[in-house]
Amino acid sequence: MSEEHEKSISASMDTVESTQVDESAQEKSDGIALPAHVAGSGPLDRLVETARDYASAAASDNTRSAYAKDWAHFARWCRMRGADPLPPSPELVGLYIADLAAPQGHGPTKPPALSVASIERRLSGLGWGYAQRGLQLDRKDRHIATVLAGIRRKHARPPVQKEAILADDIRAMVATLPHDLRGLRDRAILLIGFTGGLRRSEIVSLDRHKDDTMDSGGWIDILDGGALITLRGKTGWREVEIGRGSSDQTCPVHALEQWLHYGRISFGPIFTGVTRDGKRARETRLNDKHIARLIKACVIKAGLRPDLPDAERVKLYSGHSLRAGLASSAEVDERYVQKQLGHASAEMTRRYQRRRDRFRVNLTKAAGL
């Protein structure tokens, strides 16, 4: 059997297996059902569906999709080694994460080693996968905990931070955008994302008003002094205040008003696609991947980091560059930046500050030395 044929068969089996996993998870719907001793009825059946909807809302679509892929990868890994992922086996999971950190094999088919953060994410995905099946993975079991501790000790590295997009950078980026409908939309995205310190998913989840759509992540009220965003973030609901800028060219509220007016956005998702001829805004919400593509394209057009080749330049920037840019550019008390970014701790906010004065508070001198 040729190598190409083997790869084809393996890919087909992976697809079937992933589909079966997704169907199984969908069928179980977090294990929510009527107790066996309770007879079904119309009201109870409707309550079961309602409870399943709430359970589905416990995690974002992106998180559930990532966890489903993690589970599918683990199931395939088990199958290739003649093992069964069910029931939970800490010994097997310990071997799995060891293989992720130090993959076995040789040559071009050898998979790359995963970072500690990626391995921990995979473990979270496995925990989710077992929970969907009414089972529990004990991550504190020594077969998992000690292997993971060793991986952290041997392979842990400082996190790779994305480059911050600073005030001058964002001005240069928006200046590259045309003044057509797409340009108005993308200008509003960049400026609102920067001044609000918003995540990609938070930007595209915004609606014009409260309760406009079922999948809304928040809405915007435009006031005399600026825009007030009520946002459902990772740490719960919060308000993000975006004041008006010093000039229309870089004012995020003015950019948003222009997009809403010319895009005729009066209801539903704020940031939507544009028709092929560029004359009309669609009703469908943008995917958060558009934000990443937009940032990378504007970075190239604006000529940021000209000392690097294009391929390396775009790797330095992502959606987080907007949040890091606000945290690094805003010359205000740190607590205001923390509130804007929705961080639970000041330490997390400091991770986003790329050019803060680290020695403003000198404890050496304060101690008398």
Side-chain angles (χ1 to χ4, degrees):
M1 183 181 296
S2 67
E3 182 178 350
E4 291 76 20
H5 189 49
E6 288 178 352
K7 288 182 179 180
S8 176
I9 293 176
S10 177
S12 299
M13 294 180 71
D14 290 346
T15 302
V16 171
E17 183 178 65
S18 178
T19 302
Q20 290 173 341
V21 169
D22 291 342
E23 289 176 351
S24 175
Q26 180 68 29
E27 183 179 345
K28 288 185 178 293
S29 301
D30 291 325
I32 294 175
L34 285 175
H37 64 278
V38 176
S41 66
L44 284 177
D45 290 342
R46 287 192 292 273
L47 279 176
V48 169
E49 292 303 318
T50 301
R52 287 174 177 171
D53 289 341
Y54 281 128
S56 296
S60 69
D61 291 341
N62 287 342
T63 299
R64 288 197 302 273
S65 175
Y67 283 172
K69 290 178 181 177
D70 291 339
W71 176 263
H73 184 274
F74 175 61
R76 178 181 182 275
W77 183 90
C78 291
R79 174 177 57 80
M80 296 295 290
R81 287 154 182 80
D84 195 325
L86 299 172
S89 168
E91 295 89 344
L92 191 61
V93 173
L95 296 177
Y96 173 65
I97 62 175
D99 194 30
L100 296 179
Q104 305 298 303
H106 303 280
T109 60
K110 180 181 178 180
L114 296 188
S115 66
V116 174
S118 295
I119 292 172
E120 290 176 336
R121 212 291 306 279
R122 288 280 177 93
L123 274 176
S124 297
L126 298 193
W128 173 88
Y130 282 119
Q132 302 307 298
R133 292 153 180 82
L135 302 169
Q136 184 175 2
L137 176 65
D138 182 9
R139 291 182 56 169
K140 295 182 179 180
D141 184 282
R142 64 184 180 87
H143 293 92
I144 299 176
T146 55
V147 173
L148 184 59
I151 291 173
R152 288 196 188 106
R153 185 177 180 85
K154 190 171 182 178
H155 299 293
R157 297 183 299 274
V160 178
Q161 293 185 319
K162 293 297 183 179
E163 194 89 355
I165 292 174
L166 304 176
D168 289 342
D169 299 330
I170 200 74
R171 290 192 191 97
M173 290 169 67
V174 298
T176 67
L177 296 171
H179 291 277
D180 57 10
L181 200 55
R182 286 190 180 87
L184 292 177
R185 178 200 63 193
D186 290 343
R187 186 173 285 102
I189 286 175
L190 290 177
L191 291 173
I192 289 292
F194 176 83
T195 55
L198 304 181
R199 300 176 177 88
R200 296 184 319 181
S201 58
E202 292 172 340
I203 296 172
V204 299
S205 73
L206 293 173
D207 278 1
R208 184 64 188 88
H209 308 100
K210 181 182 179 181
D211 299 328
D212 274 359
T213 63
M214 293 292 292
D215 61 341
S216 170
W219 65 93
I220 297 183
D221 294 310
I222 298 180
L223 311 174
D224 290 340
L228 176 63
I229 300 179
T230 305
L231 190 70
R232 181 175 59 194
K234 287 188 174 182
T235 56
W237 288 96
R238 75 179 196 273
E239 289 185 343
V240 175
E241 300 166 358
I242 298 179
R244 293 184 181 272
S246 55
S247 69
D248 286 347
Q249 286 73 27
T250 57
C251 174
V253 183
H254 177 74
L256 178 62
E257 290 173 326
Q258 292 288 99
W259 161 245
L260 294 176
H261 174 73
Y262 289 103
R264 298 181 181 180
I265 308 293
S266 59
F267 180 86
I270 286 182
F271 296 115
T272 67
V274 175
T275 55
R276 194 177 292 258
D277 59 11
K279 296 182 179 180
R280 181 173 56 85
R282 299 181 185 272
E283 297 180 357
T284 53
R285 190 185 305 277
L286 280 179
N287 188 288
D288 67 343
K289 292 180 180 178
H290 173 81
I291 312 295
R293 291 193 294 265
L294 171 63
I295 290 172
K296 293 178 185 297
C298 288
V299 162
I300 295 296
K301 292 178 182 177
L304 304 189
R305 293 299 304 270
D307 55 308
L308 297 175
D310 287 354
E312 292 185 27
R313 290 162 63 193
V314 296
K315 289 180 181 179
L316 290 177
Y317 296 91
S318 72
H320 265 65
S321 296
L322 296 177
R323 286 166 62 78
L326 177 72
S328 303
S329 301
E331 300 292 341
V332 296
D333 192 296
E334 192 176 77
R335 57 182 171 158
Y336 295 111
V337 179
Q338 179 183 341
K339 178 181 180 294
Q340 191 83 338
L341 297 183
H343 287 155
S345 68
E347 180 59 34
M348 178 58 73
T349 302
R350 293 186 190 109
R351 296 182 189 178
Y352 283 74
Q353 295 172 325
R354 302 293 191 263
R355 61 176 192 181
R356 65 186 175 92
D357 184 357
R358 296 181 178 274
F359 302 105
R360 182 179 59 183
V361 177
N362 190 325
L363 293 180
T364 305
K365 292 182 179 179
L369 300 179

